[in-house]
Amino acid sequence: MQIIDQNGQADQSKLATMSEQLVNKKADVLVGIATPAAQALANATSTTPIVLGAVTDPVAAGLVRDMKTPGKNITGVSDQPPVASEIKLGKELMPHAKTVGMLYSSTEDNSKSQVDTAAKAATQLGLKVKKFAVPSSNEIAQTVQVMSSQVDFIYIPLDNTIANAMPTVTEEANKQKKPVITSVDTMVTQGGLATIGVNQYQLGIQTGKMAANILKGKSKPATTPVYTFTTGDTIINKDQVQRLGINVPEKLMKNAKIVTTDAGKNK
């Protein structure tokens, strides 16, 4: 079996061309990792099977009809995080917090959907919500500087633009000692405080299994439900706990996966 991969290097303008190249190579199955890549593949073909890898809301992104019966040439794996639980985690770690700032990319549909869900959860917990959308990575540093003076902690949804600039986010947030609650484990090891996130390794395995079943003729995208995870891992960065002076409840610390900031970055 031959595997061909294309990496947009965080430049979404390349995705359309790369998708067309993969279709022209007569691939038997296409895998789109994250929403922008999956949408580019969907725009390039309506016949070749496409497996979604880490697409948070395939319905809102216009990729499938619904999660149980996708209906077209697309199915895959959702990395929808337990957003409400993540906001609750932020409140547990910062019990005196009154305002949460939500940082996301204005160009990613899934991010907007998650932020809306997170905002409702925050409001139910008595938190005031301030949303900060950025059109590109160039505005992230300045935006974090501005929002850090207005909020008690920062929340970041699953967002490719922000994820690629996470060291910048934590560098600026650390200057003003603002905790960052994220939606993925890798962003915690890059300097986020904590998350309740889908296990990314298991997500990759499940995506591969679905692609293999389609290749073997065991399943068809149109009738294969989009896979969603029902549990998440609580992950806490002990370096950030110490840096920010966070008092983590003993029960929460005992049941969490404890990590450190990668290679001493963002210190």
Side-chain angles (χ1 to χ4, degrees):
M1 181 176 65
Q2 182 182 14
I3 298 176
I4 304 170
D5 65 80
Q6 298 272 16
N7 189 334
Q9 300 292 341
D11 185 352
Q12 294 185 23
S13 66
K14 298 177 181 178
L15 296 178
T17 299
M18 291 191 299
S19 296
E20 291 173 2
Q21 290 174 347
L22 291 174
V23 171
N24 291 336
K25 290 180 183 293
K26 306 297 182 182
D28 296 301
V29 175
L30 300 166
V31 178
I33 300 175
T35 303
Q39 288 174 323
L41 288 174
N43 289 333
T45 179
S46 60
T47 56
T48 304
I50 297 172
V51 177
L52 311 174
V55 173
T56 309
D57 191 342
V59 177
L63 292 164
V64 301
R65 182 176 60 196
D66 62 58
M67 299 290 275
K68 291 185 178 180
T69 53
K72 298 187 292 183
N73 63 315
I74 305 173
T75 187
V77 183
S78 169
D79 60 353
Q80 176 67 57
V83 173
S85 295
E86 290 169 347
I87 296 298
K88 183 180 178 182
L89 176 64
K91 184 63 174 174
E92 284 185 82
L93 293 171
M94 283 77 68
H96 301 297
K98 293 183 173 17
T99 305
V100 53
M102 301 190 178
L103 177 68
Y104 65 103
S105 168
S106 60
T107 62
E108 296 190 32
D109 294 335
N110 282 338
S111 299
K112 299 173 188 176
S113 174
Q114 290 172 79
V115 165
D116 288 342
T117 301
K120 291 178 183 177
T123 300
Q124 291 174 352
L125 290 172
L127 289 166
K128 182 178 180 181
V129 176
K130 291 191 175 184
K131 299 178 181 179
F132 296 82
V134 294
S136 72
S137 58
N138 295 329
E139 288 79 17
I140 290 176
Q142 183 177 1
T143 301
V144 175
Q145 292 171 12
V146 171
M147 71 188 299
S148 292
S149 65
Q150 301 178 30
V151 305
D152 296 306
F153 71 94
I154 296 170
Y155 174 74
I156 300 174
L158 279 173
D159 185 296
N160 299 295
T161 302
I162 307 301
N164 286 322
M166 190 61 186
T168 299
V169 173
T170 52
E171 179 181 0
E172 296 301 331
N174 281 342
K175 290 177 182 178
Q176 299 190 53
K177 293 189 176 299
K178 297 298 177 180
V180 180
I181 300 296
T182 78
S183 291
V184 63
D185 53 358
T186 54
M187 296 171 81
V188 177
T189 57
Q190 288 180 303
L193 173 62
T195 190
I196 300 177
V198 171
N199 186 296
Q200 298 296 298
Y201 179 76
Q202 293 301 323
L203 191 153
I205 289 177
Q206 183 61 32
T207 302
K209 286 181 177 179
M210 295 184 79
N213 284 336
I214 291 172
L215 282 169
K216 294 175 182 177
K218 293 183 178 181
S219 62
K220 296 181 179 180
T223 55
T224 302
V226 175
Y227 186 92
T228 56
F229 291 86
T230 57
T231 59
D233 299 328
T234 299
I235 303 166
I236 297 175
N237 185 324
K238 72 175 184 179
D239 290 341
Q240 289 299 92
V241 167
Q242 295 171 357
R243 177 195 299 278
L244 300 169
I246 302 294
N247 183 21
V248 181
E250 183 178 347
K251 182 178 179 181
L252 186 59
M253 182 66 87
K254 182 179 179 180
N255 294 324
K257 176 183 178 181
I258 308 302
V259 300
T260 58
T261 303
D262 282 342
K265 294 178 182 177
N266 309 315
K267 290 187 175 180

PDB file of all heavy atoms in Angstrom, residues 9-12 103-108 133-144 159-166 168-169 172:
ATOM      1  N   GLN A   9       1.563  23.181   6.104  1.00  0.00           N
ATOM      2  CA  GLN A   9       2.438  24.040   6.922  1.00  0.00           C
ATOM      3  C   GLN A   9       1.711  25.281   7.440  1.00  0.00           C
ATOM      4  O   GLN A   9       2.237  26.389   7.405  1.00  0.00           O
ATOM      5  CB  GLN A   9       3.674  24.459   6.116  1.00  0.00           C
ATOM      6  CG  GLN A   9       4.531  23.303   5.632  1.00  0.00           C
ATOM      7  CD  GLN A   9       5.238  22.566   6.758  1.00  0.00           C
ATOM      8  OE1 GLN A   9       5.383  23.104   7.842  1.00  0.00           O
ATOM      9  NE2 GLN A   9       5.661  21.334   6.485  1.00  0.00           N
ATOM     10  N   ALA A  10       0.461  25.066   7.874  1.00  0.00           N
ATOM     11  CA  ALA A  10      -0.367  26.131   8.467  1.00  0.00           C
ATOM     12  C   ALA A  10      -0.772  27.205   7.469  1.00  0.00           C
ATOM     13  O   ALA A  10      -1.267  28.257   7.863  1.00  0.00           O
ATOM     14  CB  ALA A  10       0.348  26.776   9.659  1.00  0.00           C
ATOM     15  N   ASP A  11      -0.582  26.951   6.180  1.00  0.00           N
ATOM     16  CA  ASP A  11      -0.979  27.901   5.143  1.00  0.00           C
ATOM     17  C   ASP A  11      -2.187  27.339   4.395  1.00  0.00           C
ATOM     18  O   ASP A  11      -2.055  26.497   3.516  1.00  0.00           O
ATOM     19  CB  ASP A  11       0.184  28.137   4.173  1.00  0.00           C
ATOM     20  CG  ASP A  11      -0.129  29.216   3.138  1.00  0.00           C
ATOM     21  OD1 ASP A  11      -1.293  29.673   3.080  1.00  0.00           O
ATOM     22  OD2 ASP A  11       0.793  29.596   2.393  1.00  0.00           O
ATOM     23  N   GLN A  12      -3.382  27.810   4.757  1.00  0.00           N
ATOM     24  CA  GLN A  12      -4.597  27.251   4.193  1.00  0.00           C
ATOM     25  C   GLN A  12      -4.745  27.528   2.702  1.00  0.00           C
ATOM     26  O   GLN A  12      -5.503  26.843   2.016  1.00  0.00           O
ATOM     27  CB  GLN A  12      -5.819  27.782   4.948  1.00  0.00           C
ATOM     28  CG  GLN A  12      -5.879  27.314   6.394  1.00  0.00           C
ATOM     29  CD  GLN A  12      -7.155  27.731   7.103  1.00  0.00           C
ATOM     30  OE1 GLN A  12      -8.162  27.990   6.468  1.00  0.00           O
ATOM     31  NE2 GLN A  12      -7.107  27.806   8.421  1.00  0.00           N
ATOM     32  N   LEU A 103     -10.306  32.977  22.928  1.00  0.00           N
ATOM     33  CA  LEU A 103      -9.452  33.323  21.803  1.00  0.00           C
ATOM     34  C   LEU A 103      -9.621  32.294  20.696  1.00  0.00           C
ATOM     35  O   LEU A 103      -9.447  31.093  20.925  1.00  0.00           O
ATOM     36  CB  LEU A 103      -7.991  33.362  22.264  1.00  0.00           C
ATOM     37  CG  LEU A 103      -6.932  33.643  21.193  1.00  0.00           C
ATOM     38  CD1 LEU A 103      -7.056  35.072  20.675  1.00  0.00           C
ATOM     39  CD2 LEU A 103      -5.531  33.411  21.765  1.00  0.00           C
ATOM     40  N   TYR A 104      -9.946  32.755  19.476  1.00  0.00           N
ATOM     41  CA  TYR A 104     -10.163  31.819  18.374  1.00  0.00           C
ATOM     42  C   TYR A 104      -9.975  32.520  17.033  1.00  0.00           C
ATOM     43  O   TYR A 104      -9.930  33.749  16.952  1.00  0.00           O
ATOM     44  CB  TYR A 104     -11.569  31.218  18.452  1.00  0.00           C
ATOM     45  CG  TYR A 104     -12.696  32.222  18.268  1.00  0.00           C
ATOM     46  CD1 TYR A 104     -13.389  32.308  17.065  1.00  0.00           C
ATOM     47  CD2 TYR A 104     -13.063  33.088  19.298  1.00  0.00           C
ATOM     48  CE1 TYR A 104     -14.418  33.226  16.895  1.00  0.00           C
ATOM     49  CE2 TYR A 104     -14.087  34.000  19.135  1.00  0.00           C
ATOM     50  CZ  TYR A 104     -14.765  34.067  17.934  1.00  0.00           C
ATOM     51  OH  TYR A 104     -15.772  34.977  17.766  1.00  0.00           O
ATOM     52  N   SER A 105      -9.865  31.704  15.991  1.00  0.00           N
ATOM     53  CA  SER A 105      -9.693  32.231  14.644  1.00  0.00           C
ATOM     54  C   SER A 105     -11.054  32.510  14.008  1.00  0.00           C
ATOM     55  O   SER A 105     -11.943  31.655  14.038  1.00  0.00           O
ATOM     56  CB  SER A 105      -8.920  31.229  13.782  1.00  0.00           C
ATOM     57  OG  SER A 105      -8.980  31.597  12.422  1.00  0.00           O
ATOM     58  N   SER A 106     -11.208  33.669  13.420  1.00  0.00           N
ATOM     59  CA  SER A 106     -12.477  34.037  12.787  1.00  0.00           C
ATOM     60  C   SER A 106     -12.693  33.306  11.475  1.00  0.00           C
ATOM     61  O   SER A 106     -13.783  33.354  10.895  1.00  0.00           O
ATOM     62  CB  SER A 106     -12.514  35.554  12.542  1.00  0.00           C
ATOM     63  OG  SER A 106     -11.442  35.947  11.695  1.00  0.00           O
ATOM     64  N   THR A 107     -11.668  32.595  10.978  1.00  0.00           N
ATOM     65  CA  THR A 107     -11.778  31.912   9.681  1.00  0.00           C
ATOM     66  C   THR A 107     -12.111  30.426   9.815  1.00  0.00           C
ATOM     67  O   THR A 107     -12.266  29.742   8.807  1.00  0.00           O
ATOM     68  CB  THR A 107     -10.470  32.048   8.884  1.00  0.00           C
ATOM     69  OG1 THR A 107      -9.403  31.418   9.600  1.00  0.00           O
ATOM     70  CG2 THR A 107     -10.116  33.517   8.659  1.00  0.00           C
ATOM     71  N   GLU A 108     -12.223  29.922  11.047  1.00  0.00           N
ATOM     72  CA  GLU A 108     -12.483  28.502  11.247  1.00  0.00           C
ATOM     73  C   GLU A 108     -13.888  28.288  11.820  1.00  0.00           C
ATOM     74  O   GLU A 108     -14.181  28.679  12.943  1.00  0.00           O
ATOM     75  CB  GLU A 108     -11.427  27.888  12.159  1.00  0.00           C
ATOM     76  CG  GLU A 108     -10.023  27.940  11.542  1.00  0.00           C
ATOM     77  CD  GLU A 108      -9.003  27.125  12.316  1.00  0.00           C
ATOM     78  OE1 GLU A 108      -9.394  26.093  12.900  1.00  0.00           O
ATOM     79  OE2 GLU A 108      -7.823  27.517  12.319  1.00  0.00           O
ATOM     80  N   ALA A 133     -11.696  37.293  18.471  1.00  0.00           N
ATOM     81  CA  ALA A 133     -11.445  36.569  17.222  1.00  0.00           C
ATOM     82  C   ALA A 133     -10.286  37.208  16.474  1.00  0.00           C
ATOM     83  O   ALA A 133     -10.193  38.439  16.392  1.00  0.00           O
ATOM     84  CB  ALA A 133     -12.697  36.583  16.347  1.00  0.00           C
ATOM     85  N   VAL A 134      -9.394  36.397  15.935  1.00  0.00           N
ATOM     86  CA  VAL A 134      -8.271  36.909  15.155  1.00  0.00           C
ATOM     87  C   VAL A 134      -8.369  36.386  13.719  1.00  0.00           C
ATOM     88  O   VAL A 134      -8.693  35.220  13.500  1.00  0.00           O
ATOM     89  CB  VAL A 134      -6.911  36.506  15.768  1.00  0.00           C
ATOM     90  CG1 VAL A 134      -6.712  37.174  17.114  1.00  0.00           C
ATOM     91  CG2 VAL A 134      -6.809  34.992  15.912  1.00  0.00           C
ATOM     92  N   PRO A 135      -8.108  37.228  12.720  1.00  0.00           N
ATOM     93  CA  PRO A 135      -8.194  36.797  11.323  1.00  0.00           C
ATOM     94  C   PRO A 135      -6.996  35.973  10.867  1.00  0.00           C
ATOM     95  O   PRO A 135      -7.084  35.216   9.909  1.00  0.00           O
ATOM     96  CB  PRO A 135      -8.286  38.119  10.555  1.00  0.00           C
ATOM     97  CG  PRO A 135      -7.583  39.109  11.437  1.00  0.00           C
ATOM     98  CD  PRO A 135      -7.889  38.679  12.839  1.00  0.00           C
ATOM     99  N   SER A 136      -5.857  36.116  11.553  1.00  0.00           N
ATOM    100  CA  SER A 136      -4.659  35.366  11.185  1.00  0.00           C
ATOM    101  C   SER A 136      -3.720  35.310  12.376  1.00  0.00           C
ATOM    102  O   SER A 136      -3.925  35.985  13.390  1.00  0.00           O
ATOM    103  CB  SER A 136      -3.943  36.016   9.991  1.00  0.00           C
ATOM    104  OG  SER A 136      -3.312  37.212  10.390  1.00  0.00           O
ATOM    105  N   SER A 137      -2.647  34.528  12.234  1.00  0.00           N
ATOM    106  CA  SER A 137      -1.690  34.378  13.336  1.00  0.00           C
ATOM    107  C   SER A 137      -0.930  35.669  13.624  1.00  0.00           C
ATOM    108  O   SER A 137      -0.380  35.840  14.717  1.00  0.00           O
ATOM    109  CB  SER A 137      -0.705  33.247  13.022  1.00  0.00           C
ATOM    110  OG  SER A 137      -0.021  33.508  11.809  1.00  0.00           O
ATOM    111  N   ASN A 138      -0.915  36.585  12.681  1.00  0.00           N
ATOM    112  CA  ASN A 138      -0.161  37.830  12.865  1.00  0.00           C
ATOM    113  C   ASN A 138      -0.722  38.694  13.992  1.00  0.00           C
ATOM    114  O   ASN A 138       0.006  39.512  14.570  1.00  0.00           O
ATOM    115  CB  ASN A 138      -0.166  38.648  11.565  1.00  0.00           C
ATOM    116  CG  ASN A 138       0.565  37.950  10.437  1.00  0.00           C
ATOM    117  OD1 ASN A 138       1.512  37.203  10.679  1.00  0.00           O
ATOM    118  ND2 ASN A 138       0.132  38.166   9.211  1.00  0.00           N
ATOM    119  N   GLU A 139      -2.003  38.522  14.303  1.00  0.00           N
ATOM    120  CA  GLU A 139      -2.643  39.367  15.316  1.00  0.00           C
ATOM    121  C   GLU A 139      -2.696  38.725  16.699  1.00  0.00           C
ATOM    122  O   GLU A 139      -3.185  39.322  17.640  1.00  0.00           O
ATOM    123  CB  GLU A 139      -4.073  39.721  14.877  1.00  0.00           C
ATOM    124  CG  GLU A 139      -4.173  40.704  13.728  1.00  0.00           C
ATOM    125  CD  GLU A 139      -3.916  40.043  12.375  1.00  0.00           C
ATOM    126  OE1 GLU A 139      -3.978  38.801  12.301  1.00  0.00           O
ATOM    127  OE2 GLU A 139      -3.637  40.775  11.406  1.00  0.00           O
ATOM    128  N   ILE A 140      -2.187  37.501  16.815  1.00  0.00           N
ATOM    129  CA  ILE A 140      -2.375  36.758  18.063  1.00  0.00           C
ATOM    130  C   ILE A 140      -1.655  37.403  19.244  1.00  0.00           C
ATOM    131  O   ILE A 140      -2.240  37.590  20.315  1.00  0.00           O
ATOM    132  CB  ILE A 140      -1.933  35.294  17.884  1.00  0.00           C
ATOM    133  CG1 ILE A 140      -2.926  34.577  16.963  1.00  0.00           C
ATOM    134  CG2 ILE A 140      -1.848  34.583  19.237  1.00  0.00           C
ATOM    135  CD1 ILE A 140      -2.548  33.152  16.642  1.00  0.00           C
ATOM    136  N   ALA A 141      -0.397  37.738  19.082  1.00  0.00           N
ATOM    137  CA  ALA A 141       0.374  38.300  20.200  1.00  0.00           C
ATOM    138  C   ALA A 141      -0.293  39.555  20.758  1.00  0.00           C
ATOM    139  O   ALA A 141      -0.487  39.691  21.976  1.00  0.00           O
ATOM    140  CB  ALA A 141       1.803  38.616  19.758  1.00  0.00           C
ATOM    141  N   GLN A 142      -0.658  40.472  19.878  1.00  0.00           N
ATOM    142  CA  GLN A 142      -1.278  41.726  20.327  1.00  0.00           C
ATOM    143  C   GLN A 142      -2.642  41.467  20.968  1.00  0.00           C
ATOM    144  O   GLN A 142      -2.987  42.086  21.983  1.00  0.00           O
ATOM    145  CB  GLN A 142      -1.439  42.688  19.153  1.00  0.00           C
ATOM    146  CG  GLN A 142      -2.023  44.046  19.561  1.00  0.00           C
ATOM    147  CD  GLN A 142      -2.112  45.013  18.386  1.00  0.00           C
ATOM    148  OE1 GLN A 142      -1.759  44.668  17.261  1.00  0.00           O
ATOM    149  NE2 GLN A 142      -2.588  46.215  18.659  1.00  0.00           N
ATOM    150  N   THR A 143      -3.389  40.528  20.407  1.00  0.00           N
ATOM    151  CA  THR A 143      -4.710  40.220  20.955  1.00  0.00           C
ATOM    152  C   THR A 143      -4.602  39.640  22.354  1.00  0.00           C
ATOM    153  O   THR A 143      -5.370  39.992  23.256  1.00  0.00           O
ATOM    154  CB  THR A 143      -5.462  39.236  20.041  1.00  0.00           C
ATOM    155  OG1 THR A 143      -5.607  39.815  18.737  1.00  0.00           O
ATOM    156  CG2 THR A 143      -6.845  38.920  20.593  1.00  0.00           C
ATOM    157  N   VAL A 144      -3.638  38.745  22.570  1.00  0.00           N
ATOM    158  CA  VAL A 144      -3.455  38.160  23.907  1.00  0.00           C
ATOM    159  C   VAL A 144      -3.034  39.232  24.902  1.00  0.00           C
ATOM    160  O   VAL A 144      -3.474  39.236  26.057  1.00  0.00           O
ATOM    161  CB  VAL A 144      -2.423  37.006  23.872  1.00  0.00           C
ATOM    162  CG1 VAL A 144      -2.153  36.484  25.288  1.00  0.00           C
ATOM    163  CG2 VAL A 144      -2.926  35.875  22.984  1.00  0.00           C
ATOM    164  N   ASP A 159      -8.554  24.818  17.563  1.00  0.00           N
ATOM    165  CA  ASP A 159      -8.390  25.840  16.539  1.00  0.00           C
ATOM    166  C   ASP A 159      -6.986  25.723  15.965  1.00  0.00           C
ATOM    167  O   ASP A 159      -5.995  25.886  16.676  1.00  0.00           O
ATOM    168  CB  ASP A 159      -8.604  27.226  17.177  1.00  0.00           C
ATOM    169  CG  ASP A 159      -8.580  28.361  16.181  1.00  0.00           C
ATOM    170  OD1 ASP A 159      -7.521  28.583  15.549  1.00  0.00           O
ATOM    171  OD2 ASP A 159      -9.612  29.038  16.035  1.00  0.00           O
ATOM    172  N   ASN A 160      -6.891  25.442  14.676  1.00  0.00           N
ATOM    173  CA  ASN A 160      -5.583  25.210  14.062  1.00  0.00           C
ATOM    174  C   ASN A 160      -4.692  26.448  14.064  1.00  0.00           C
ATOM    175  O   ASN A 160      -3.492  26.369  14.301  1.00  0.00           O
ATOM    176  CB  ASN A 160      -5.780  24.720  12.624  1.00  0.00           C
ATOM    177  CG  ASN A 160      -6.533  23.415  12.567  1.00  0.00           C
ATOM    178  OD1 ASN A 160      -6.051  22.394  13.030  1.00  0.00           O
ATOM    179  ND2 ASN A 160      -7.729  23.438  12.022  1.00  0.00           N
ATOM    180  N   THR A 161      -5.286  27.604  13.799  1.00  0.00           N
ATOM    181  CA  THR A 161      -4.511  28.845  13.752  1.00  0.00           C
ATOM    182  C   THR A 161      -3.884  29.148  15.105  1.00  0.00           C
ATOM    183  O   THR A 161      -2.694  29.468  15.201  1.00  0.00           O
ATOM    184  CB  THR A 161      -5.397  30.021  13.306  1.00  0.00           C
ATOM    185  OG1 THR A 161      -5.951  29.735  12.017  1.00  0.00           O
ATOM    186  CG2 THR A 161      -4.590  31.311  13.232  1.00  0.00           C
ATOM    187  N   ILE A 162      -4.680  29.052  16.157  1.00  0.00           N
ATOM    188  CA  ILE A 162      -4.176  29.330  17.499  1.00  0.00           C
ATOM    189  C   ILE A 162      -3.197  28.247  17.938  1.00  0.00           C
ATOM    190  O   ILE A 162      -2.170  28.530  18.563  1.00  0.00           O
ATOM    191  CB  ILE A 162      -5.330  29.446  18.511  1.00  0.00           C
ATOM    192  CG1 ILE A 162      -6.386  30.451  18.032  1.00  0.00           C
ATOM    193  CG2 ILE A 162      -4.783  29.863  19.876  1.00  0.00           C
ATOM    194  CD1 ILE A 162      -5.873  31.852  17.812  1.00  0.00           C
ATOM    195  N   ALA A 163      -3.497  26.990  17.604  1.00  0.00           N
ATOM    196  CA  ALA A 163      -2.617  25.882  17.994  1.00  0.00           C
ATOM    197  C   ALA A 163      -1.213  26.063  17.432  1.00  0.00           C
ATOM    198  O   ALA A 163      -0.219  25.806  18.113  1.00  0.00           O
ATOM    199  CB  ALA A 163      -3.204  24.553  17.531  1.00  0.00           C
ATOM    200  N   ASN A 164      -1.130  26.520  16.194  1.00  0.00           N
ATOM    201  CA  ASN A 164       0.172  26.711  15.563  1.00  0.00           C
ATOM    202  C   ASN A 164       0.959  27.864  16.188  1.00  0.00           C
ATOM    203  O   ASN A 164       2.174  27.964  16.003  1.00  0.00           O
ATOM    204  CB  ASN A 164       0.002  26.964  14.062  1.00  0.00           C
ATOM    205  CG  ASN A 164      -0.369  25.701  13.311  1.00  0.00           C
ATOM    206  OD1 ASN A 164       0.125  24.624  13.607  1.00  0.00           O
ATOM    207  ND2 ASN A 164      -1.252  25.826  12.324  1.00  0.00           N
ATOM    208  N   ALA A 165       0.260  28.722  16.923  1.00  0.00           N
ATOM    209  CA  ALA A 165       0.926  29.863  17.561  1.00  0.00           C
ATOM    210  C   ALA A 165       0.872  29.766  19.084  1.00  0.00           C
ATOM    211  O   ALA A 165       1.044  30.762  19.782  1.00  0.00           O
ATOM    212  CB  ALA A 165       0.269  31.166  17.105  1.00  0.00           C
ATOM    213  N   MET A 166       0.676  28.557  19.604  1.00  0.00           N
ATOM    214  CA  MET A 166       0.523  28.392  21.046  1.00  0.00           C
ATOM    215  C   MET A 166       1.709  28.915  21.854  1.00  0.00           C
ATOM    216  O   MET A 166       1.513  29.533  22.905  1.00  0.00           O
ATOM    217  CB  MET A 166       0.269  26.918  21.367  1.00  0.00           C
ATOM    218  CG  MET A 166      -0.134  26.678  22.821  1.00  0.00           C
ATOM    219  SD  MET A 166      -1.665  27.531  23.258  1.00  0.00           S
ATOM    220  CE  MET A 166      -1.737  27.194  25.020  1.00  0.00           C
ATOM    221  N   THR A 168       3.451  31.489  21.300  1.00  0.00           N
ATOM    222  CA  THR A 168       3.239  32.940  21.369  1.00  0.00           C
ATOM    223  C   THR A 168       2.146  33.278  22.365  1.00  0.00           C
ATOM    224  O   THR A 168       2.271  34.216  23.162  1.00  0.00           O
ATOM    225  CB  THR A 168       2.853  33.490  19.985  1.00  0.00           C
ATOM    226  OG1 THR A 168       3.910  33.234  19.066  1.00  0.00           O
ATOM    227  CG2 THR A 168       2.586  34.991  20.050  1.00  0.00           C
ATOM    228  N   VAL A 169       1.066  32.493  22.339  1.00  0.00           N
ATOM    229  CA  VAL A 169      -0.046  32.724  23.268  1.00  0.00           C
ATOM    230  C   VAL A 169       0.435  32.625  24.705  1.00  0.00           C
ATOM    231  O   VAL A 169       0.188  33.526  25.532  1.00  0.00           O
ATOM    232  CB  VAL A 169      -1.180  31.698  23.034  1.00  0.00           C
ATOM    233  CG1 VAL A 169      -2.257  31.834  24.120  1.00  0.00           C
ATOM    234  CG2 VAL A 169      -1.801  31.890  21.654  1.00  0.00           C
ATOM    235  N   GLU A 172       2.862  35.454  25.929  1.00  0.00           N
ATOM    236  CA  GLU A 172       2.194  36.716  26.256  1.00  0.00           C
ATOM    237  C   GLU A 172       1.315  36.573  27.496  1.00  0.00           C
ATOM    238  O   GLU A 172       1.267  37.483  28.334  1.00  0.00           O
ATOM    239  CB  GLU A 172       1.359  37.192  25.066  1.00  0.00           C
ATOM    240  CG  GLU A 172       2.160  37.534  23.821  1.00  0.00           C
ATOM    241  CD  GLU A 172       3.189  38.633  24.057  1.00  0.00           C
ATOM    242  OE1 GLU A 172       2.954  39.498  24.932  1.00  0.00           O
ATOM    243  OE2 GLU A 172       4.228  38.635  23.374  1.00  0.00           O
TER     244      GLU A 172
END
